[in-house]
Structures are given as C-alpha cells and as structure tokens.
Amino acid sequence: MEEKILEVRNLMTQYTTGKNRVTVVNDVSFDLFSGCSLAIVGESGSGKSAMALSLMRLIEPPVGTITGQAILLEGKDILQLSLKEMQEIRGNRISMIFQEPMTALNPVFTIGEQIMETIQLHQQVAPKEAKIGCIELLTRVGIPAPHQRMLDYPHQLSGGMRQRVMIAIALACNPAVLIADEPTTALDVTTQAQIIDLIQRLQAEKKMGIILITHDLGIVADACDEVVVMYGGSIVEKSLVETIFNAPLHPYTQALLDAIPPLSDGSRPQRLRTISGVVPALSDLPIGCPFQDRCPYVKELCRASKPPLQEVSCGHSVACFYPLQAIAKD
C-alpha cells in the first residue's frame, strides 16, 4: 500500500489588492500518495497555480495569506513552520517545476551554478561533490555533454533543454513531492511527450508523489492516477482518472472533456466544441455555484447557494446540486 505523503485540508488562500482581499483558493482538500500522480485541471483563472504556490508557501504577506486546517507534508504541518524552517523543506522535500523556465532560471548564472547552489544549500556538500551531483542530474534528465552544458547560460538552451534543467533543479535533493505547473507550456508536441516521459521515469525511480497542473486532458489520461477539477478557486469534482473520463458528474468536467479536439476520420474537418462564456474573475464570483452562468443545467438553487463538495461514491466527489448522473435519470 502506498504511503500518504501529502494531506491538504481546507486550504484557503487570499491575495491582497489594496484594501480588499480576493479568495483565489477556497476550501481545497486532497491527499497525495507516494508513487502516484494527481492532476489539477481547469481553465486559466481557476486557481490552479495559486494553489501550487500555496503548497510551496511562496505566498506571504503583504502579497497574500495562506490559511486552512493543515498542509501535512510527511506528517509535518508546513503551515505552522517558520520561514527558516520552510526554506529548509522547500526544494528539499517538496519541489516545483515552474511554468516558464526562462523566467524561473536566473539569466546571469550558468546552469551548473544554479543546480550546484540547490545541492549545496540542502545537502551541505563541498563544491567538488556538488559539481559531480550536477553532472549526474543533467545526465539523468537527458541533457547531452553535461560537462559542457553546465557552463551554458539559460538563453543558450532551447525551451525543452531549459525545462529539463528545471526538472534537474527540482530533483536535486530527491523530494517526496514534485509539483509540475504546466511543464509542457510553449513546447512542441514531440518535446512535450519527452518531458512527460522523463517525469514519469524519474517518478518510478524515486517513488515521488507528483502534482501535475495542466489544462491538457490528453496528458492527464496518459500520466495521472487521480484528477482534481478546479473552477472559481474551488474543487468541483475529484476522482480516479478512469472515472472522470468515463463517468463525469459535474457539467464543467463534461464540458472540458467535450472540448478535447476529436480525431478526424479524414473525410471532413470536425468543428471544435467550446465552453460558452468566460471564467469569472476570482474577485467577482457570483453567489451560489461559480459555474452557473455557463452551465446548461442551471436552476434557481444553483444561483441561491454554493453546492458543497460531497462524496457520491467511493473516491468520487462532486460539488453540484444536479450532477449529470441524476440529470440523465430525469
């Protein structure tokens, strides 16, 4: 049985905008097990990246505040840690691959210097050992001629190579949890597949728990075990990958699946289905269900109050007063 390495309980994150507070992550709870992959999916503006930054404790006053019952990493509540204690854990037991490596990497330091800094910070080793570790990491992530590449600056590498460097930095200290925030953004299809395959291979070697933040449901189907669907800063559905794809219960989840480009039989192009309307601003969410203005099944109850996230079957939860299963029966 896999070990539970991350427990998120009632996570709440608010950004400060002038005198106002905007809730960007609202009462989010889930578990992550070693060797398993959890996908966080949803459109831009759903709160996915804010949730990831919250797990890393990278949102601090005056920018924002993180509250909640607990974020238990290997049994330790990181919400209760001091900034110094969190710095020792961040990049060590929990790491993150950021969405855009060109902005995440420091342009004035070489690739080798940035990887070695992470190794020396957390493992307290001599520069010679850190250099050996750097070369080994670059080799593991598939970068050719690592002795030469470690002397390069970020702008000298391709997008795929920079993403591999980010993975190397994230894995430098063998973390228990790896958060990958849109790791294949702006990469070509072939490179995307290579990056996902690399993450899966390294996960199998180290038994990490992975949180994959993405809007690409094709990647989710291939690479993940469980799915959390977010909308308006809240979880609207969560279950196993197979269940989400075969029997979605929330209208938003179904709309996301319907928007996957269909395979053409070559006879004529098929029209791409879209979700009508736009994602509401997190600062201006409606009373009731956040999806109400785009939902084809909306009723008065949906506009009056927000549906709670409830388990409807083993491991399958949905926040909807009229889940698709019930609508089909009607």
Side-chain angles (χ1 to χ4, degrees), residues 2-6 31-38 73-74 93-95 171 174-180 199 202-204 206-212 225:
E2 301 295 352
E3 177 187 3
K4 188 184 293 184
I5 52 176
L6 182 67
D31 297 328
L32 179 67
F33 295 83
S34 62
C36 294
S37 297
L38 173 72
L73 176 64
E74 298 180 302
R93 301 310 298 152
I94 181 168
S95 291
L171 297 179
N174 297 318
V177 175
L178 176 65
I179 302 171
I199 292 174
L202 296 173
Q203 178 191 31
K206 300 298 181 180
K207 282 293 186 180
M208 295 180 296
I210 290 181
I211 296 175
L212 177 63
D225 304 297

Side-chain angles (χ1 to χ4, degrees), residues 68-193:
Q69 183 178 332
I71 301 177
L72 298 175
L73 176 64
E74 298 180 302
K76 182 180 293 186
D77 187 359
I78 63 176
L79 288 180
Q80 305 303 319
L81 300 181
S82 66
L83 181 59
K84 183 179 180 181
E85 290 172 322
M86 190 62 211
Q87 288 174 336
E88 294 174 356
I89 288 177
R90 189 189 299 129
N92 188 7
R93 301 310 298 152
I94 181 168
S95 291
M96 184 168 174
I97 304 169
F98 291 91
Q99 187 168 350
E100 177 44 65
M102 197 59 200
T103 56
L105 293 170
N106 194 320
V108 301
F109 290 99
T110 66
I111 296 305
E113 287 173 328
Q114 295 184 62
I115 297 176
M116 290 169 62
E117 179 187 27
T118 302
I119 296 173
Q120 288 183 284
L121 177 64
H122 293 293
Q123 298 187 9
Q124 312 294 320
V125 297
K128 183 177 180 180
E129 293 176 80
K131 181 178 180 180
I132 293 172
C134 173
I135 293 171
E136 289 177 348
L137 281 167
L138 291 176
T139 301
R140 282 175 60 197
V141 298
I143 292 183
H147 291 82
Q148 286 76 43
R149 284 298 188 183
M150 68 180 294
L151 303 177
D152 288 344
Y153 290 88
H155 72 273
Q156 295 176 283
L157 303 179
S158 67
M161 286 293 186
R162 286 195 293 266
Q163 196 62 281
R164 289 173 186 269
V165 170
M166 288 298 301
I167 294 172
I169 293 174
L171 297 179
C173 299
N174 297 318
V177 175
L178 176 65
I179 302 171
D181 186 4
E182 300 278 8
T184 59
T185 296
L187 299 178
D188 61 77
V189 175
T190 301
T191 306
Q192 286 182 17

Side-chain angles (χ1 to χ4, degrees), residues 298-316:
V298 62
K299 301 182 186 300
E300 286 303 314
L301 178 59
C302 308
R303 300 189 186 280
S305 57
K306 183 179 178 180
L309 184 67
Q310 295 182 316
E311 188 171 58
V312 293
S313 61
C314 184
H316 193 174

